[in-house]
């Protein structure tokens, strides 16, 4: 599975949009981009995933560049409860092995 | 709907002992995976099971084993515990579709003394 690169940390103001970048320049054509977050002492929570089209659900939006080498997770209106470590993961269609990197530690401030 | 449930939530063991951790997947999910998360790091893949068969294994010693039952629940066993086995053990379940996302439980916190 392709490796991902994320900034180690970022701050966001409560009520504002949070844009979390992820680079995956070696992604293959059949690999998906998944986003998870982990709040302290809890298991990772699935947020969203996509292949090449932009995706939106009740939690977030995922924007994937046309060349698929990078993506952005958008939390439209960040709340204090969105403070967590966010992981961007690239995974092929086969198997359930998720390779977690360091993630981005997001701190939402009042 | 009930999510992935794991038991126990916390456990303290002594070096050399063995431990069994349990996981019940989300209803309808047939695939179960296990991950180890050491403090300060991201989760590391240990096993995947589907239809009671091992479908994937991470870089863990043979002291780690698992099985899946006909009701799709799963157990993770660790023998001859070492201090370094202290970690949060996470179970995740999913549908069998190729892109189906994994859904994680809140884990079992194992402390080896």
């Amino acid at each position: 599975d392709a490796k991902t690169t994320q900034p180690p940390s970022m701050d966001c103001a409560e009520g504002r949009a949070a844009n979390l970048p992820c680079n995956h320049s070696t992604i293959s054509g059949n690999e998906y981009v998944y986003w998870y977050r982990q709040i302290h002492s809890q298991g990772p929570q699935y947020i969203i995933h996509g292949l090449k089209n932009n995706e939106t659900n009740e939690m977030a939006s995922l924007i994937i560049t046309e060349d698929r080498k990078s993506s952005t997770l958008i939390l439209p209106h960040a709340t204090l409860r969105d403070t967590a470590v966010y992981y961007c993961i690239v995974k092929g269609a086969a198997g359930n092995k998720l390779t977690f990197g360091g993630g981005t530690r997001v701190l939402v401030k009042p | 709907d009930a999510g992935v449930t794991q038991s126990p939530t916390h456990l303290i063991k002594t070096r050399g002992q063995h431990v069994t951790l349990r996981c019940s997947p989300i209803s309808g999910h047939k695939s179960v995976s296990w991950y180890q998360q050491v403090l300060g790091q991201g989760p590391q893949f240990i096993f995947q099971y589907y239809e009671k068969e091992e479908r994937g294994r991470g870089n863990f010693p043979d002291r780690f084993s698992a099985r899946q039952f006909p009701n799709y629940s799963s157990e993770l066993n660790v023998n001859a515990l070492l201090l370094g086995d202290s970690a949060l053990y996470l179970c995740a379940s999913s549908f069998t579709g190729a892109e189906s996302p994994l859904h994680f439980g809140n884990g079992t916190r194992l402390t080896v003394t």
Side-chain angles (χ1 to χ4, degrees), chain A residues 58-109:
Chain A
E58 65 279 4
M59 290 183 67
S61 295
L62 174 60
I63 308 298
I64 302 174
T65 58
E66 191 169 344
D67 64 8
R68 302 208 326 121
K69 293 185 177 181
S70 65
S71 61
T72 301
L73 179 75
I74 301 172
L75 307 177
H77 303 287
T79 70
L80 299 180
R81 288 178 294 181
D82 291 323
T83 291
V85 178
Y86 286 76
Y87 295 101
C88 168
I89 300 168
V90 169
K91 188 182 84 68
N96 272 8
K97 177 182 177 182
L98 296 177
T99 301
F100 288 80
T104 296
R105 188 171 299 275
V106 174
L107 176 61
V108 180
K109 296 182 175 180

Side-chain angles (χ1 to χ4, degrees), chain A residues 26-32 51-52 68 92:
Chain A
T26 60
I27 192 170
S28 299
N30 64 348
E31 290 182 317
Y32 290 80
L51 183 63
K52 51 185 174 182
R68 302 208 326 121

Side-chain angles (χ1 to χ4, degrees), chain A residues 1-19:
Chain A
D1 297 330
K3 183 178 177 180
T4 62
T5 303
Q6 298 177 252
S9 65
M10 64 182 293
D11 293 345
C12 176
E14 186 180 22
R16 303 293 294 272
N19 296 289

Side-chain angles (χ1 to χ4, degrees), chain B residues 27-101:
Chain B
S27 177
H29 287 188
K30 297 183 179 181
S31 178
V32 171
S33 301
W34 288 94
Y35 286 75
Q36 179 197 65
Q37 186 172 24
V38 174
L39 195 63
Q41 298 180 18
Q44 299 293 312
F45 173 76
I46 309 176
F47 287 113
Q48 180 200 356
Y49 273 78
Y50 170 62
E51 293 290 3
K52 297 180 290 182
E53 290 189 7
E54 181 182 306
R55 302 295 178 137
R57 184 184 183 110
N59 187 24
F60 281 81
D62 292 344
R63 299 185 296 106
F64 288 77
S65 63
R67 56 179 176 168
Q68 186 178 34
F69 299 97
N71 66 353
Y72 304 109
S73 66
S74 177
E75 285 182 354
L76 175 69
N77 296 283
V78 186
N79 294 323
L81 286 167
L82 304 174
L83 295 179
D85 295 331
S86 295
L88 180 67
Y89 288 86
L90 297 159
C91 175
S93 72
S94 70
F95 289 113
T96 54
E99 65 172 283
S100 296

